[in-house]
Amino acid sequence: MSFSHLRSDFPTLCQENPPAYLDNACVTLKPQQVIDSISDYYSKYPGCGGRSVHRYGTQVSRLVQQSRKTVADFINANSPNEMIFTRNATHSLNQIAKGLSWEKGDVIITGDREHNSNLVPWIQLKQEFGIEHRVVKSNPDNSFNMENFEDACSDAGDKLKLVSMSHVGNLDGVKIPIKEITKVTHEHNALISVDGAQSTPHMKVDVQELDIDFLSFSIHKMCGPSGMGGLWGRTELLENMRTIQAGGQTVTSTTYDSLEWAKPPSKFEGGLGNFAGLIASGSAIDYLSKLDMNAVHEHEISLNRIMTNGIKHLNGIEIIGPENPEMRSGICSILMNQLPAHDIAILLDEAAGVMVRSGQHCVHSWFNDRGHKDGSLRASAYLYNTEDDAKLFVDTFCEAVEAFS
Ligand SMILES: Cc1ncc(COP(=O)(O)O)c(C=O)c1O
């Protein structure tokens, strides 16, 4: 299925010589609807939601509430109140890490291909509170090793408190079997937090069907405004979780020495909100809600197939993850070995308008463990990319590799 008819919604793709934008694992382009929502807030009703009762205030409150419901429905949450707006997925993961109560010796398990946002908070808790962080080793091709995971859970025994895993890795696009992982986690009476930064934008993610406990995601990777993310959690967990952003909006009342916490989501959304971002988040997710997300996923895989088949024969490079692009979603991440990844990324843009990412993509741990200090060059597709974008990437990349070899 092609989504090329949607390209006209994206102003950056309607310019003369639009780029082949293949840096979607970092941040996506924005459709006009989202840009209009931001502009409408500032030009028509730039007030404060949730507090002021004048016309601007009530309009903003209504639109934010609508936005929350749109996002909650997109992930099939039980209630909009389970949907907390955050600044980004990093903020969401930190809220979980620093909001749960920990005892010395409690165990948290992650994978070995985690973004720093699902690694650093755990290392911090280890250093500050003495929790134990254990890493499950993947198979040599980066696919998930269920046996290693089950062993790690059994080893942790009743100390296992939380499993936190990225659903799809930003390193390589590899998807892990979250439903099975959740089942094992719950059998060990532990909680599961899913880092959905790379899955929620690209496929149907249904929190009830997956039976998970927390989901963190980046709305800026879903056609939404920058500075916006989401945290979903089961109601009873949110009710008992400590907020890391206490202040205005998070309480129903205070005295000089006491307080009454507000219910979620308010408890977690302290301080004046990014109202333009909150409202535009609803527009972005409304935009995605009209699409068949499984078809989006298939489309991205078909583009990855073109990229993979077009470059895999080149000498000196290596695609990270399984050979089969179907197991790497829309991400083609290439170890450049002796070739200069940054220089080639600059050349791709300058020569042909192909925009990709180079470096360690905040997965330093994986690269450092293997001694790849320069990281990789990563092309990542989204719904508006076309076969022509993928072919242009292949042609330009092949020429660049030849030029630098
Ligand atoms: C898998 C994964 N987790 C977490 C993050 C952090 O997301 P954010 O930039 O929204 O904090 C990213 C961002 O690239 C990511 O790819």
Side-chain angles (χ1 to χ4, degrees):
M1 184 172 180
S2 164
F3 292 90
S4 54
H5 59 287
L6 300 178
R7 287 175 67 85
S8 56
D9 294 335
F10 293 81
T12 40
L13 300 177
C14 298
Q15 318 167 65
E16 214 179 316
N17 299 323
Y21 184 81
L22 291 166
D23 192 17
N24 296 289
C26 177
V27 72
T28 59
L29 306 179
K30 319 301 173 199
Q32 189 62 48
Q33 289 86 328
V34 169
I35 299 165
D36 287 346
S37 289
I38 294 171
S39 159
D40 283 353
Y41 169 75
Y42 288 113
S43 55
K44 297 184 183 160
Y45 32 80
C48 173
R51 299 168 208 193
S52 311
V53 293
H54 50 65
R55 271 172 299 143
Y56 287 176
T58 45
Q59 171 78 335
V60 172
S61 300
R62 190 182 63 75
L63 291 172
V64 171
Q65 205 171 337
Q66 196 175 305
S67 188
R68 195 183 303 283
K69 177 161 174 13
T70 304
V71 183
D73 287 348
F74 186 71
I75 56 170
N76 196 26
N78 257 317
S79 148
N81 293 336
E82 293 178 340
M83 170 54 220
I84 297 159
F85 282 113
T86 58
R87 285 196 301 281
N88 43 41
T90 305
H91 181 184
S92 309
L93 285 155
N94 271 276
Q95 172 56 64
I96 299 168
K98 287 147 194 177
L100 292 173
S101 44
W102 297 93
E103 282 176 22
K104 195 166 186 272
D106 281 348
V107 174
I108 148 87
I109 293 179
T110 67
D112 62 354
R113 306 155 31 254
E114 301 298 340
H115 188 283
N116 281 335
S117 300
N118 190 32
L119 173 66
V120 176
W122 313 120
I123 298 180
Q124 192 182 17
L125 286 187
K126 178 174 154 182
Q127 292 174 345
E128 292 173 2
F129 294 105
I131 70 156
E132 263 197 57
H133 169 228
R134 298 192 187 163
V135 175
V136 177
K137 232 177 148 24
S138 304
N139 292 317
D141 71 352
N142 275 7
S143 56
F144 193 72
N145 186 312
M146 200 59 172
E147 210 177 303
N148 286 353
F149 174 62
E150 285 176 348
D151 287 350
C153 291
S154 300
D155 279 355
D158 61 5
K159 290 284 182 196
L160 181 61
K161 180 159 179 112
L162 184 75
V163 170
S164 191
M165 299 265 178
S166 57
H167 194 180
V168 170
N170 68 315
L171 167 73
D172 49 20
V174 171
K175 182 169 154 212
I176 64 170
I178 273 299
K179 215 169 163 180
E180 288 85 335
I181 292 168
T182 298
K183 189 163 171 286
V184 174
T185 304
H186 286 161
E187 279 164 7
H188 284 81
N189 296 320
L191 297 172
I192 175 127
S193 137
V194 175
D195 172 356
Q198 298 295 342
S199 59
T200 316
H202 303 282
M203 60 190 70
K204 183 74 202 137
V205 174
D206 179 328
V207 293
Q208 294 192 61
E209 204 254 327
L210 293 175
D211 195 30
I212 56 179
D213 298 307
F214 297 107
L215 176 74
S216 302
F217 52 102
S218 316
I219 293 175
H220 62 84
K221 297 188 204 297
M222 304 173 77
C223 297
S226 46
M228 289 304 305
L231 167 62
W232 168 86
R234 283 196 288 113
T235 299
E236 65 274 22
L237 294 172
L238 295 180
E239 276 173 354
N240 292 312
M241 190 159 75
R242 176 180 170 274
T243 178
I244 58 168
Q245 205 169 326
Q249 181 110 352
T250 64
V251 287
T252 51
S253 182
T254 54
T255 64
Y256 286 122
D257 61 3
S258 68
L259 58 84
E260 278 169 31
W261 289 114
K263 287 200 164 304
S266 296
K267 184 171 97 173
F268 299 100
E269 295 179 355
L272 193 112
N274 167 9
F275 295 117
L278 289 160
I279 296 168
S281 292
S283 303
I285 305 305
D286 184 50
Y287 188 82
L288 294 185
S289 302
K290 299 196 171 95
L291 309 177
D292 173 351
M293 292 307 289
N294 292 327
V296 168
H297 186 52
E298 286 307 315
H299 170 67
E300 291 165 3
I301 288 175
S302 74
L303 299 182
N304 198 357
R305 203 174 288 123
I306 295 172
M307 297 193 284
T308 300
N309 291 339
I311 63 162
K312 66 181 181 194
H313 64 280
L314 292 171
N315 285 331
I317 61 138
E318 200 182 320
I319 296 175
I320 303 175
E323 261 180 51
N324 185 352
E326 281 175 31
M327 293 178 71
R328 288 185 277 103
S329 314
I331 293 184
C332 187
S333 187
I334 310 151
L335 278 178
M336 303 299 289
N337 296 319
Q338 304 307 319
L339 297 166
H342 288 308
D343 291 345
I344 292 183
I346 294 169
L347 186 74
L348 294 188
D349 184 18
E350 284 182 352
V354 175
M355 296 182 176
V356 295
R357 171 94 175 255
S358 51
Q360 295 194 336
H361 322 297
C362 296
V363 197
H364 298 79
S365 50
W366 188 90
F367 287 104
N368 288 339
D369 189 54
R370 287 153 185 82
H372 297 299
K373 71 174 174 38
D374 293 335
S376 77
L377 184 140
R378 182 185 71 187
S380 52
Y382 205 27
L383 51 98
Y384 37 68
N385 289 120
T386 60
E387 289 193 3
D388 284 347
D389 288 343
K391 287 179 189 158
L392 186 62
F393 165 75
V394 169
D395 292 345
T396 330
F397 182 76
C398 289
E399 281 170 26
V401 166
E402 199 177 316
F404 278 93
S405 294

